Amino acid sequence: MPDVSLIRSELLAWYDRHARSLAWRAPPGAEGRTEPYRVWLSEVMLQQTTTPHATPYFQSFTARWPTVSDLAAAEDGEVMAAWAGLGYYARARNLLACARAVAGEHGGVFPDTEADLLALPGVGAYTAAAVAAIAFDRAANVVDGNVERVMARLFAVETPVPPARPELKRLAGLFVTDERPGDWAQALMDLGATVCRPKSPLCGQCPAAGQCLGLASGAPERFPVKLKKAERPHRRGFAFVMIDPDGQVALERRPDKGLLGGMLGLPTSDWSASPDATPPVDGDWREAGAVEHVFTHFSLTLTVRTARVKAGGDYQWLGLEAARAALPTVFAKALDRAGEPALI
DNA sequence: GATCCGTGGGG
DNA sequence: TCCCCAAGGAT
């Protein structure tokens, strides 16, 4: 069996030499621990999101709202617009709810235990453990997709995920001690991101290669074994671009629950196998083509229709640039499409 | 436990 | 082109 203590010391030594330089990490030798606000913000942004995608958002959020109290005081629409393009918009709603809970119920100071962190909106098992470990040096079992993969390979776990999750978490827990818990968590995730990668792992560079049952099996990339996932259905729909004489576009706030919840959007039909193409208002509607978009659990062909109208009704009217910046990607694509046939 | 919830890059 | 998937959480 892999030697837990040996792997720990080898990986921590590797981390001391190979830690990635990331926007939310204190530079090497920096005084004091990392700000909990920055750790929390980065962890939320990194949920199911790649580092390159999250980085510019982290920079703009921290520049605009330097503390959790600043963020708590922001308006909902501002924060949602600033999150536009990052995806999983429930994160932005929960981010604001969490900031307000910290500002209002905790005096602007993040709680420093895993249990108290877990009670905050948008903070689940992973994020609570990560903030506790990285910001507060608590011995927490930080398990994300990277850690699951590393454990599955180290121990050559044949049980497929997701059923194997509890077992992988148990294995990860074998490594958690009071010694450098924050560094340990980040070392494991850095290893997973740069060496023990999903495809073509770089086992020749791995400090734990000598202890890895997956490598010994001859096919480490086979782990973690995965269950086949369901097919992604396809839907169709219409998006309606109304432009007033000043070039303003009609947008509506989407309900908090459901797809793209809380975000601004174009008026649309239902999205289904055979959507109802009736536009929201009468007018001289023209077809501007279609855009394709892929969501997590369905793909969409969105046909774009445009009309010149007078501003009014129950809409927010924004200029083209402002609208595009505030919209989720699927609607930004639709707006781009509407602009092409020289309607504007 | 199963489902819903985005996006963009890489193989 | 298509498929995979990335520092998950809520219901």
Side-chain angles (χ1 to χ4, degrees):
Chain A
M1 286 297 280
D3 183 331
V4 168
S5 175
L6 179 59
I7 292 170
R8 262 192 65 86
S9 57
E10 299 274 352
L11 182 47
L12 282 169
W14 173 87
Y15 183 68
D16 289 335
R17 284 178 284 120
H18 297 290
R20 288 178 292 172
S21 171
L22 301 170
W24 41 89
R25 266 185 197 167
E31 291 285 327
R33 65 189 175 212
T34 312
E35 279 300 315
Y37 170 61
R38 296 167 61 86
V39 175
W40 161 74
L41 180 62
S42 66
E43 292 299 343
V44 174
M45 287 185 167
L46 288 164
Q47 290 165 7
Q48 299 291 284
T49 304
T50 58
T51 293
H53 194 189
T55 296
Y57 286 85
F58 179 83
Q59 303 281 28
S60 67
F61 267 68
T62 51
R64 188 166 175 184
W65 300 294
T67 71
V68 67
S69 299
D70 295 325
L71 181 58
E75 288 185 14
D76 295 41
E78 286 185 284
V79 175
M80 299 309 289
W83 199 275
L86 196 52
Y88 285 139
Y89 298 99
R91 290 186 295 172
R93 300 195 304 275
N94 287 328
L95 188 82
L96 201 40
C98 181
R100 288 171 180 164
V102 171
E105 299 164 24
H106 299 274
V109 180
F110 270 89
D112 63 356
T113 68
E114 204 174 338
D116 288 344
L117 288 162
L118 192 55
L120 295 168
V123 176
Y126 163 76
T127 303
V131 174
I134 299 170
F136 298 111
D137 271 325
R138 302 271 187 184
N141 192 11
V142 183
V143 183
D144 71 335
N146 287 307
V147 176
E148 287 183 350
R149 182 171 58 258
V150 172
M151 293 302 146
R153 288 178 178 166
L154 276 177
F155 294 91
V157 175
E158 294 287 354
T159 310
V161 288
R165 292 240 157 86
E167 171 66 1
L168 295 172
K169 184 164 188 173
R170 183 190 69 79
L171 292 170
L174 299 177
F175 294 85
V176 176
T177 75
D178 284 327
E179 188 191 344
R180 302 178 63 184
D183 284 346
W184 171 253
Q186 295 180 92
L188 212 42
M189 292 191 282
D190 273 23
L191 185 79
T194 64
V195 175
C196 197
R197 308 180 297 188
K199 298 169 185 173
S200 54
L202 305 173
C203 300
Q205 300 178 26
C206 182
Q211 297 293 316
C212 183
L213 295 180
L215 178 56
S217 81
E221 68 281 358
R222 194 165 63 81
F223 303 99
V225 180
K226 301 203 169 176
L227 250 29
K228 238 178 30 179
K229 49 186 71 169
E231 225 171 282
R232 182 161 24 220
H234 187 261
R235 298 182 191 170
R236 301 177 183 281
F238 295 88
F240 302 103
V241 179
M242 292 182 270
I243 304 187
D244 82 350
D246 297 330
Q248 309 269 108
V249 182
L251 303 180
E252 55 189 17
R253 181 73 61 186
R254 298 175 62 86
D256 277 345
K257 288 196 169 192
L259 189 73
L260 310 175
M263 296 295 289
L264 286 174
L266 293 167
T268 73
S269 68
D270 61 304
W271 294 351
S272 61
S274 52
D276 176 3
T278 309
V281 301
D282 290 332
D284 180 18
W285 286 95
R286 307 181 186 194
E287 186 127 341
V291 297
E292 300 292 333
H293 193 75
V294 180
F295 293 99
T296 303
H297 58 293
F298 68 95
S299 57
L300 176 70
T301 300
L302 193 61
T303 300
V304 182
R305 292 189 171 166
T306 63
R308 296 176 182 278
V309 301
K310 262 173 55 180
D314 205 11
Y315 297 107
Q316 272 188 242
W317 295 87
L318 266 63
L320 235 40
E321 289 301 310
R324 197 187 189 293
L327 287 171
T329 299
V330 62
F331 292 126
K333 284 185 188 175
L335 208 51
D336 289 346
R337 171 64 64 177
E340 278 177 22
L343 176 78
I344 300 146

